Amino acid sequence: MKKFILGFFVAAMVFAGGNTANAQGKYGPDSANCVTYLSYYREYFKQKNYDSALPNWRKAISICAPTANQYLLLDGTTLVRRLIAKNAANKEYKAALIDTLLTLHDLRVKAYPKYAVAAINNKGLDINTYFKGNSQRIYDGLEEVIAANKEQTKLSILVNNLNAAIELFRDGKMDADKVIETYQRNVAIVKEVQPSKEVSQEDIDKTKSDIEGLFITSKVASCDNLIALFTPRFEADPENIDLASSIVKMMSNASTQEEDCVNNDLFLRATTLMHRNEPSAQSAYYLYRLNSAQGNVAEAEKFIEEAVRLSENVEPKVAADYNMQYANFCLANGQKAKAVAAAQKAVDLDESLSPEANFVMGSVWGATTCGGDEIARRAPYWVATDYMQKARVGADEKLLEKINTSIAKYRAYFPSTQDAFMYNLTDGESYTVSCGGMRAVTTVRTQK
């Protein structure tokens, strides 16, 4: 062990001399023996006879300059990794071998700057592999890799770097704001990565998703943490669009069923700035939610209508959700025709919303008052029940309970058999209802 480590660092010192090594040629002062042992180890290495290659590689690395051949360093990483695996139980030797492995990467960076990005990335991968359990060492090492390679950083390193930061946060060794900064920077780097032969768009999208998923599940970005971190920053720079966008995205992601992170002043101000500078369906929708929660009906209506109008440029499922939200808003505020139209548009965009949409349309008919005779006044409850029956198909347990309650209520308003008979109507007959600007064909039903 000592002989190997000492020999290796002799080579490192020769290279560190720079001008001296260059003056002696690419192979170093003992070029003849260097070429000989390079040839010996390479022949064994090509045959995958690594045990025989190792002593010859040791000799080569001790007498050759790193500039002799890039394979001297590349093959060395393979051989040293094998040694690390074989000597996993010997902590002291393993630590020395890991140090040697990382030094090989450093030498490759200096000797072959054209391949520096690859060497630095490989160093990062080895740091993550061989320092498991040491989050600080992983984080610090990967920070150096990211600082050097930026958007050329291997995508998995960006994920591992954030994971190490989160582990440090959980151990009480890193503040939440530092983790958030790491997350923001890594996401920004991923956005700069362009598809290539080595990296597909699918790889890029998956990495972005992995980073965001890791951050969201970490619970680092609690609502309180985000408000405490970003409020003073936004107050100091209230026209910063990039900052506002970051606040909106992170607070949206932090929202859960248990914690609503969008119903607060910071989110409102950030969203308002975003919408003022670049109106979008999403920002309009957020402003609708905020104003609705605060009871600002007129403002809420303005923004949900804008969200629906701008939703032509978003995914159908998102547009469908905005229309469904609009339908519920109109229902709650007595705008029946608009509620029906929005509910129908939601279904057209996403059939999975049929239960909720039919519930809205049934509720509209159930709240509609028609003039005319006794049957005409009660007929809307038939239509309401029709829609509620449709809403049952695919409804979840919570909605199903509301549907059943509504059906029971509407049935209580069905005309009696005697009343229907007086108007020459019997159960099962077709009946057309036209009222309040709406029209529907239903079936006569009486109370039994």
Side-chain angles (χ1 to χ4, degrees), residues 123-410:
K123 181 179 180 181
L125 296 176
D126 282 330
I127 288 172
N128 190 69
T129 298
Y130 295 114
F131 289 95
K132 296 293 185 186
N134 188 343
S135 300
Q136 190 68 62
R137 179 67 180 86
I138 292 175
Y139 180 79
D140 292 341
L142 300 189
E143 281 290 294
E144 293 178 4
V145 172
I146 294 168
N149 282 357
K150 299 181 175 60
E151 71 276 5
Q152 292 180 290
T153 302
K154 196 169 183 65
L155 293 175
S156 63
I157 290 174
L158 297 168
V159 178
N160 294 332
N161 171 253
L162 177 61
N163 187 61
I166 291 170
E167 291 297 324
L168 289 171
F169 171 79
R170 288 172 177 164
D171 293 340
K173 297 178 181 178
M174 182 175 286
D175 294 334
D177 57 348
K178 184 63 176 177
V179 182
I180 293 170
E181 288 173 5
T182 301
Y183 161 76
Q184 290 179 304
R185 181 203 58 198
N186 290 6
V187 167
I189 290 174
V190 173
K191 289 181 179 178
E192 295 298 317
V193 177
Q194 298 298 317
S196 64
K197 291 181 180 179
E198 293 77 24
V199 182
S200 68
Q201 185 61 53
E202 184 179 355
D203 295 329
I204 296 169
D205 293 341
K206 184 179 183 303
T207 300
K208 184 172 180 291
S209 177
D210 288 345
I211 289 175
E212 290 179 342
L214 185 63
F215 184 69
I216 292 168
T217 57
S218 72
K219 305 299 182 184
V220 173
S222 70
C223 197
D224 289 342
N225 283 343
L226 293 174
I227 291 174
L229 175 66
F230 285 113
T231 296
R233 294 185 186 182
F234 193 68
E235 288 177 348
D237 195 3
E239 297 299 319
N240 188 326
I241 300 298
D242 291 336
L243 178 59
S245 178
S246 182
I247 290 170
V248 169
K249 183 171 185 178
M250 295 189 70
M251 297 189 83
S252 299
N253 288 339
S255 289
T256 63
Q257 289 185 342
E258 295 76 27
E259 183 179 30
D260 183 0
C261 203
V262 301
N263 190 16
N264 58 75
D265 183 62
L266 174 62
F267 189 86
L268 174 61
R269 290 163 59 200
T271 307
T272 301
L273 176 62
M274 280 183 61
H275 193 71
R276 188 175 74 230
N277 285 271
E278 190 175 346
S280 70
Q282 185 182 50
S283 60
Y285 173 68
Y286 284 140
L287 288 170
Y288 152 70
R289 287 182 57 186
L290 288 163
N291 282 283
S292 180
Q294 295 176 10
N296 303 326
V297 176
E299 286 293 294
E301 181 177 6
K302 179 182 76 173
F303 285 118
I304 190 58
E305 287 181 346
E306 188 170 2
V308 168
R309 177 172 56 80
L310 295 173
S311 67
E312 295 178 359
N313 301 318
V314 302
E315 294 181 4
K317 282 187 175 293
V318 176
D321 182 60
Y322 291 163
N323 275 277
M324 199 67 251
Q325 296 279 346
Y326 184 39
N328 281 304
F329 175 84
C330 291
L331 175 64
N333 289 279
Q335 300 182 48
K336 299 172 186 177
K338 287 184 177 181
V340 170
Q344 187 58 59
K345 181 68 178 294
V347 175
D348 292 342
L349 291 166
D350 183 2
E351 288 187 5
S352 70
L353 293 177
S354 291
E356 188 176 350
N358 281 311
F359 178 81
V360 168
M361 289 187 277
S363 299
V364 167
W365 277 101
T368 298
T369 302
C370 294
D373 59 37
E374 185 71 14
I375 300 300
R377 291 197 298 272
R378 293 175 182 268
Y381 298 112
W382 293 333
V383 182
T385 303
D386 292 340
Y387 278 110
M388 290 299 172
Q389 295 286 11
K390 292 179 184 178
R392 277 179 164 168
V393 180
D396 59 29
E397 186 175 340
K398 185 177 180 181
L399 180 58
L400 192 58
E401 184 178 347
K402 293 165 67 176
I403 291 168
N404 291 334
T405 299
S406 296
I407 289 175
K409 180 176 69 174
Y410 300 149

